Amino acid sequence: MKEKFLGVDVSNFTYDQLKNNIISDINEKRKSFIVAINPEKILQAQKDRGLLNLLNKATYQIPDGVGILIASRLNGGSIKERVTGIDMLLALCEQASLHDKSIFLYGAKPNVAEEAKDRLIELYPNLRVAGVLDGYVKDQEQIKETINEAKPDILFVALGSPRQEHWIVDHMEELDVSIFQGVGGSFDVLSGKVKRAPAGFQKLGLEWLYRLIKEPWRIKRQIKLPTFLVKVWKSKK
Ligand code: UDP
């Protein structure tokens, strides 16, 4: 159920398949790790073998970004739906509240995870939040103990990429957690510190355009999309 783009695996599961798989992973006590893949990360992995191996270690590499959908089409693949990091986080919180599983929010600036928690409880009143911890605590032992005492089923890690992915791989085994997801700036969005594109932009696949208007420096990141598509196209031959 994976497609490869320049050596990086991407899962072709839809939200519904992911939701079912993850609840089974928790019930059967399997550890899994979700990472959001976009063209920028794939290009970065071309220059960094360690990052490439790290991304391929994940259980579910979700296709975050229209660039991946276009690349899948170029390769004759079957990835038709974008699965964004923040929507996956919301889908998991919904599942957690339906199946009585707990979550933990680790990362972002002090108070942000707390505010993200309040927003999630507004959305899913039955959600069990086992704990929150900001991303600037330095003591790794303290972080490990806090999470292990809370024993969440799902841990969201918001330390930015690829730092959060390295952190997850380095700590997965010693943490009493089933599902790990790296969520980048999602707590900032949930807390209201950073606004997401209006629904209309999202539906049309133009979230990138909205972000470009709001944060013009993003052009440096977005300009990489054509490079990525050309590389995928060439790698076919
Ligand atoms: N962050 C953190 N600890 C750090 C560095 C960053 O918790 O030592 C947080 C930061 O506050 C922000 C997130 O990591 O909430 C990074 O978000 P960004 O949008 O840069 O990540 P991306 O989605 O681009 O990977």
Side-chain angles (χ1 to χ4, degrees):
M1 296 297 264
K2 300 219 174 170
E3 293 180 19
K4 241 187 209 321
F5 303 98
L6 307 175
V8 177
D9 288 333
V10 181
S11 320
N12 60 7
F13 290 123
T14 60
Y15 281 108
D16 285 338
Q17 290 167 325
L18 285 162
K19 287 195 243 180
N20 288 333
N21 284 4
I22 282 158
I23 292 299
S24 311
D25 289 341
I26 300 176
N27 287 336
E28 288 155 33
K29 304 206 180 320
R30 272 195 298 269
K31 280 187 190 275
S32 50
F33 159 27
I34 305 166
V35 63
I37 305 284
N38 56 36
E40 195 192 357
K41 271 190 207 168
I42 295 181
L43 287 180
Q44 218 180 326
Q46 304 307 297
K47 292 181 252 161
D48 179 349
R49 275 256 140 212
L51 177 64
L52 187 128
N53 293 334
L54 185 73
L55 298 177
N56 286 342
K57 270 193 196 137
T59 326
Y60 307 106
Q61 292 88 351
I62 57 175
D64 187 355
V66 277
I68 305 289
L69 306 198
I70 303 171
S72 175
R73 179 169 283 204
L74 280 178
N75 278 352
S78 64
I79 302 176
K80 299 246 162 12
E81 186 183 49
R82 244 179 106 200
V83 177
T84 66
I86 189 159
D87 285 332
M88 190 70 231
L89 175 155
L90 292 171
L92 291 184
C93 288
E94 181 199 37
Q95 289 302 300
S97 75
L98 291 171
H99 297 269
D100 195 32
K101 308 297 182 199
S102 62
I103 67 153
F104 191 109
L105 305 175
Y106 166 48
K109 299 229 166 78
N111 294 324
V112 173
E114 198 62 55
E115 285 167 28
K117 167 188 160 179
D118 295 343
R119 176 71 187 130
L120 288 170
I121 291 174
E122 250 171 60
L123 292 169
Y124 311 106
N126 295 327
L127 182 65
R128 272 203 291 135
V129 182
V132 300
L133 193 62
D134 74 70
Y136 296 83
V137 174
K138 292 272 176 290
D139 184 347
Q140 287 300 324
E141 270 311 300
Q142 186 198 339
I143 299 169
K144 183 179 139 188
E145 271 169 32
T146 310
I147 297 171
N148 277 342
E149 272 164 26
K151 283 193 199 313
D153 296 299
I154 304 170
L155 175 65
F156 297 111
V157 184
L159 300 176
S161 230
R163 191 175 164 168
Q164 62 201 17
E165 283 78 23
H166 282 286
W167 188 89
I168 292 173
V169 169
D170 291 346
H171 296 88
M172 249 174 118
E173 286 314 314
E174 59 192 43
L175 292 173
D176 199 357
V177 171
S178 178
I179 312 295
F180 298 77
Q181 185 190 349
V183 295
S186 296
F187 298 172
D188 296 305
V189 174
L190 287 170
S191 73
K193 270 186 60 168
V194 175
K195 280 216 168 25
R196 229 191 140 182
F201 279 84
Q202 289 184 37
K203 273 208 194 94
L204 292 170
L206 293 177
E207 196 156 7
W208 60 271
L209 179 61
Y210 179 84
R211 295 186 83 175
L212 184 61
I213 299 166
K214 289 275 179 190
E215 302 164 289
W217 55 267
R218 280 193 177 269
I219 191 78
K220 276 205 248 144
R221 292 169 68 161
Q222 294 182 350
I223 206 83
K224 293 183 182 149
L225 177 60
T227 313
F228 167 70
L229 292 175
V230 167
K231 284 195 181 203
V232 170
W233 177 252
K234 281 195 183 148
S235 73
K236 269 178 55 172
K237 295 177 198 158

